[in-house]
Amino acid sequence: MIPFNNSPVVGNELDYISEAIASRALSGDGPFSKKCEVLLEQLTGCKKALLTPSCTAALEMAAILIDLKVGDEVIMPSYTFVSTANAFALRGAKIIFVDVDAATMNIDPECIKAAINSKTKAIVPVHYAGVACDMDSIMALAEEHNLYVVEDAAQAIDSFYNGKPLGTIGHFGTFSFHETKNITSGGEGGALLINDSKMLSRAEIIREKGTNRSQFFRGSVDKYSWVDIGSSYLPSEIQAAYLYGQLLKLSEINNDRRNSWNVYASKLDDLAVKGLITLPNISDFATNNGHMFYLKCESLAVRTALISHLRADGIMAVFHYVPLHSAPAGLEFGEFYGADVITTAHSERLVRLPLFYGITPDQLSKIINSVRGYYKQEHISELY
Ligand SMILES: *Cc1c(COP(=O)(O)O)cnc(C)c1O
């Protein structure tokens, strides 16, 4: 079976983990956490990067930092992972789901504009598949209405909007280092990027169980105490050591993923030209970090049949998010504003093909030919 995902291993992870073990410094904010944060700051140019146990935790920190109150509204796409909404629902906010743009499955700024009212507090754009949302339009709306922007950049490390790294355009950005993402900190992990320096000292406090322990360690206060709400949002040094190894190889991993992505796009293009499938679109202002390759079938029934056909050929292809506004908790904590023209209809047609660091040419041609076979198109013999 060709798996849908295969967590990246670059070979240096164990050496760094051994180093962490030997140092006896295993709790959060040790040497490897600091090294990872410096690399993330160099990569993105954010004011401060803080490692977190997950992207979920980073989103929760952002939701605490923007001081949401019960009844505040937060606008986001319905086509996203549960954590995008959950983090804000946990603070008592009402989630306002809006429609996406069919070309990218990213939040549609026109729909955001229509949903803004006096209760709106924040916008959470999700850079689906690592491809940028229309950030200029979103930031202009945020500025006009004095709203926070939290970029869910879980899938978007090393991807850009008009040359700006994703995660650094809003007030906050969040990365995921879950094993299904481009790089991982050993299965679970994430980071919060802080782009507004006024938020930094409180972020450190929230991350350290509501204490000013970070200031104490820097010597700026002589004892530390409980000063605010917070939680434990630090990963261990074992996770940071794993991530450090992968961060050093980020370009190699993303280049490999992008090459495979390009092979899919070029070898399936004629099916798109014939109108049998729709291929993903990379907006002019966006880059592609090779996070995900998806295609859209003409209907849910065709998608189901294509997934079974691939499965019978030993290939794991999978669909993606079931829109949150139709989920039980989505109905309880949120509502869809405006018409659901794209979200449900397009999510039902979308299927993701296997894409991971180190996928082989043999695997790629097998998958491409299985898709081509389903549509009764000639097989390809050469990948390049
Ligand atoms: C993966 C993902 C998350 C959650 O990341 P974790 O690190 O598993 O918490 C959140 N949002 C999006 C869009 C994701 O793809």
Side-chain angles (χ1 to χ4, degrees), residues 5-13 16-17 36 40 51-55 154 157 175-191 235-250 253-254 257 291 357:
N5 182 55
N6 200 0
S7 183
V9 178
V10 293
N12 55 13
E13 294 90 346
Y16 293 123
I17 288 173
C36 288
L40 287 171
L51 290 194
T52 56
S54 61
C55 180
I157 192 164
F175 285 154
S176 173
F177 303 124
H178 186 263
E179 70 168 23
T180 53
K181 302 305 197 299
N182 289 25
I183 58 169
T184 176
S185 44
E188 303 281 352
S236 88
E237 278 285 282
I238 300 292
Q239 288 165 287
Y242 198 108
L243 180 64
Y244 184 66
Q246 300 229 329
L247 267 172
L248 293 176
K249 302 278 179 169
L250 177 63
I253 291 172
N254 283 2
R257 296 185 74 112
H291 175 63
Y357 174 61

Side-chain angles (χ1 to χ4, degrees), residues 46 127 151 153 159 165-175 193-195:
C46 70
H127 303 297
E151 295 177 69
S159 200
L166 299 185
T168 67
I169 303 162
H171 298 82
F172 302 99
T174 62
F175 285 154
L193 306 190
I194 297 172
N195 305 313

Side-chain angles (χ1 to χ4, degrees), residues 54-57 59 80-81 83-84 126 152 154-155 175-178 180-181 188-190 321:
S54 61
C55 180
T56 303
L59 287 161
T80 184
F81 187 61
S83 295
T84 319
V126 178
D152 183 340
Q155 305 170 9
F175 285 154
S176 173
F177 303 124
H178 186 263
T180 53
K181 302 305 197 299
E188 303 281 352
Y321 309 126

